[in-house]
Amino acid sequence: MKYLYVWCCCTIFASFSAKAQIVDTSKRWSIQTCFQYAIENNIDINTAKLNELSSIQDANLAKGSRIPNLYGTLNNNFTNGKTDVSGTGNYENQLVSSGNYSLNSALVLWNGNYINTNIHQKNLVSKTYSLLVEQSKNNLVLLITQSYLSILLAKENLKYITDLVTTSQSRLKQGQQLYDAGSTAKISVLQLQAQLASDEYLKIQTENTIRQNILALKQILQLPTSISFDIETPNNLEVIVLATSLETVQNNANQNFPEIKIGEMNTEISNLNITKAKASFLPTLTANAGIGTSNNWILNHSNYTSSNYYTQTGNNFYQQIGLTLSIPILTNQINKTNLEKSRISFKQSDFNLRNTKLILAQQVELAYLNATNAQEAYQSANQQLISVTESYRILNEEFKLGGINAFDLLQQKNQYLQAIQAFTQSKYTAILQQKIYNFYNGTKIQL
């Protein structure tokens, strides 16, 4: 019995420990943790980072044009055939070996500043890819914030609905007591039962909404399905009064958002294409240098051979240096066409920049209107909830005293439920819109 008792205690303890471990594995993530994980692991962001690294290599390649190249060439040929060695008409097999060995280098001295322009352009392209990474991060942050707040909204709704279920259970119990005492009709009890069932169904729907919203956030974070995931509930979530003017936020967005900088850099890149196209009309001056040597030997039945290998390579050693001036005269309209296309591309980039500035200004204005309207809707919903809550409280007291029937109470309860839903919806909508508006102003999103 003693050992059985110890075994039972150990089993119970192990059971509680297992449950504790299961709870501990359900990690609750703050919104900052979500941001950090998504930025580090998101596939699109990491792909953009790889594109940035590739563009850096392109810039390094462009810089390599400033230094001379160097190529080594080793060439050795063997030829076997019949040859009249002595001139008597007697042909003999003869093996001829000829070798050439050289080092050659070239350096562009001047080409209309094409190399420097190309290097500057590649550096700008690299910075553009870096800004594209930042743009992807911003889009991801806003998407996570919206999904995170949707979960918080559903969880707060669940709290209210759970309280309503508890209240409905209490009302049903009171109604049943009144019916048993003969103070109310059976229809009142049936109405209370129907309302309880409706509240429980609404609770189940809200729980499903929470699970679906959590799944949506997991998909945004690109979390494996095997990871148990939930979010933290912040202590204080308040709707604040907007303190920054629309004009100020629009100016800050123009200065800080990567979309504008990308548009400006694309315009400058297009302008550099015009400079490069103009350089193609100018001569190119290249310095050339090289050293090399060669050797030749012959083997046949007469044992006729050339002079010593090292003697030949020493006697044939040469050095070469020179300048090459390449002047474009007729290029089949290639240079002219490239120049005109570069000018067209510059105009397109300029239009794209103007359009980007316009779209960003409109987005900020829309965010301002959404935040303002959401704040006003929240204040209105808050006042409505205060009034409906007080009315619902009074009717509850009257119902306890038998002053009203279940139908009147349930009508007021439905209004109370609608007021709660409107309040929570307007609260989280206002918080979301204010976070978005302040994000355009350069404020990091925190909950």
Side-chain angles (χ1 to χ4, degrees):
M1 291 296 294
K2 177 180 178 181
Y3 291 111
L4 179 61
Y5 174 79
V6 173
W7 179 82
C8 291
C9 291
C10 291
T11 303
I12 295 173
F13 178 78
S15 176
F16 279 113
S17 299
K19 291 181 179 179
Q21 291 176 358
I22 292 174
V23 172
D24 291 340
T25 56
S26 180
K27 184 178 180 180
R28 294 184 180 273
W29 293 34
S30 67
I31 194 169
Q32 299 302 326
T33 304
C34 293
F35 291 158
Q36 181 180 356
Y37 179 88
I39 290 173
E40 292 176 357
N41 298 279
N42 183 265
I43 294 176
D44 293 336
I45 290 180
N46 284 310
T47 300
K49 289 180 179 179
L50 292 177
N51 291 334
E52 179 186 0
L53 294 176
S54 179
S55 66
I56 292 175
Q57 296 304 315
D58 291 336
N60 293 335
L61 180 62
K63 293 176 183 177
S65 301
R66 285 177 172 170
I67 60 178
N69 59 24
L70 181 63
Y71 292 93
T73 302
L74 301 176
N75 180 30
N76 202 98
N77 294 319
F78 296 91
T79 305
N80 183 57
K82 290 185 177 181
T83 304
D84 186 1
V85 178
S86 60
T88 60
N90 295 322
Y91 287 85
E92 298 180 7
N93 282 333
Q94 179 176 274
L95 177 64
V96 180
S97 173
S98 58
N100 294 281
Y101 321 105
S102 63
L103 288 173
N104 297 282
S105 178
L107 173 64
V108 177
L109 300 178
W110 188 80
N111 62 344
N113 206 32
Y114 180 93
I115 293 178
N116 291 333
T117 303
N118 188 48
I119 293 174
H120 181 43
Q121 186 184 54
K122 296 302 182 183
N123 287 331
L124 287 176
V125 172
S126 178
K127 293 179 181 179
T128 300
Y129 277 109
S130 177
L131 291 171
L132 287 173
V133 173
E134 295 301 317
Q135 183 180 6
S136 298
K137 290 180 181 179
N138 288 344
N139 294 335
L140 190 59
V141 164
L142 292 176
L143 193 60
I144 291 173
T145 302
Q146 183 176 1
S147 181
Y148 198 97
L149 288 173
S150 296
I151 298 174
L152 292 178
L153 168 62
K155 285 190 172 185
E156 187 160 336
N157 278 332
L158 181 62
K159 290 180 181 179
Y160 288 116
I161 294 171
T162 301
D163 291 339
L164 287 177
V165 170
T166 302
T167 303
S168 295
Q169 291 172 344
S170 177
R171 295 289 85 82
L172 177 60
K173 183 178 180 181
Q174 294 174 2
Q176 185 66 44
Q177 291 174 349
L178 292 174
Y179 172 74
D180 293 339
S183 300
T184 186
K186 181 66 174 179
I187 187 63
S188 296
V189 177
L190 295 175
Q191 289 173 343
L192 291 173
Q193 289 176 345
Q195 185 61 47
L196 175 59
S198 177
D199 292 342
E200 290 175 342
Y201 177 73
L202 184 59
K203 180 181 177 181
I204 294 173
Q205 282 186 317
T206 306
E207 290 172 343
N208 289 335
T209 300
I210 293 175
R211 287 190 284 266
Q212 290 174 356
N213 290 344
I214 289 177
L215 176 60
L217 181 56
K218 283 185 66 176
Q219 291 174 344
I220 294 173
L221 297 175
Q222 298 177 348
L223 284 172
T225 56
S226 58
I227 293 181
S228 181
F229 173 78
D230 201 354
I231 66 170
E232 289 182 354
T233 301
N235 294 327
N236 294 317
L237 278 177
E238 298 180 354
V239 179
I240 61 176
V241 178
L242 297 179
T244 310
S245 66
L246 173 61
E247 183 179 0
T248 300
V249 176
Q250 286 178 330
N251 292 333
N252 291 336
N254 279 327
Q255 294 175 3
N256 300 322
F257 259 59
E259 286 86 343
I260 303 301
K261 296 180 181 179
I262 292 172
E264 292 173 346
M265 287 187 179
N266 285 335
T267 302
E268 188 173 356
I269 290 171
S270 298
N271 189 38
L272 291 175
N273 278 331
I274 296 176
T275 303
K276 290 167 63 175
K278 290 180 179 179
S280 63
F281 289 91
L282 302 176
T284 300
L285 181 62
T286 306
N288 305 287
I291 58 174
T293 186
S294 62
N295 76 294
N296 187 71
W297 59 268
I298 303 173
L299 177 64
N300 54 36
H301 292 292
S302 300
N303 293 325
Y304 173 81
T305 61
S306 62
S307 60
N308 184 273
Y309 174 83
Y310 294 103
T311 301
Q312 279 198 58
T313 54
N315 292 335
N316 294 334
F317 180 71
Y318 68 90
Q319 307 85 41
Q320 175 186 344
I321 188 170
L323 295 173
T324 300
L325 183 64
S326 177
I327 304 174
I329 298 175
L330 295 175
T331 59
N332 303 105
Q333 294 288 324
I334 294 177
N335 292 343
K336 184 178 180 181
T337 301
N338 289 337
L339 178 59
E340 292 302 321
K341 292 181 68 174
S342 298
R343 288 171 174 168
I344 294 172
S345 178
F346 173 76
K347 292 180 180 179
Q348 289 176 337
S349 298
D350 186 57
F351 285 135
N352 290 337
L353 176 59
R354 295 180 189 179
N355 187 51
T356 301
K357 289 182 177 180
L358 177 61
I359 291 176
L360 182 59
Q362 292 174 343
Q363 289 176 341
V364 175
E365 184 176 9
L366 179 61
Y368 174 77
L369 292 176
N370 288 340
T372 303
N373 294 336
Q375 181 177 331
E376 294 175 353
Y378 167 75
Q379 293 173 351
S380 176
N382 187 34
Q383 293 297 324
Q384 181 186 17
L385 179 61
I386 293 174
S387 301
V388 174
T389 301
E390 180 63 18
S391 299
Y392 184 51
R393 185 192 66 81
I394 294 173
L395 288 181
N396 267 305
E397 296 298 327
E398 292 182 0
F399 179 77
K400 292 179 182 179
L401 300 175
I404 62 171
N405 56 30
F407 179 78
D408 294 334
L409 178 63
L410 294 179
Q411 279 190 323
Q412 186 62 36
K413 181 181 178 181
N414 290 334
Q415 294 181 8
Y416 174 68
L417 178 60
Q418 293 173 1
I420 288 176
Q421 292 176 336
F423 171 76
T424 53
Q425 181 69 47
S426 63
K427 173 185 174 181
Y428 283 95
T429 300
I431 292 173
L432 174 63
Q433 297 303 329
Q434 288 177 354
K435 296 296 181 183
I436 293 175
Y437 180 69
N438 291 329
F439 186 75
Y440 283 116
N441 195 36
T443 303
K444 293 183 178 181
I445 294 179
Q446 294 180 342
L447 296 178

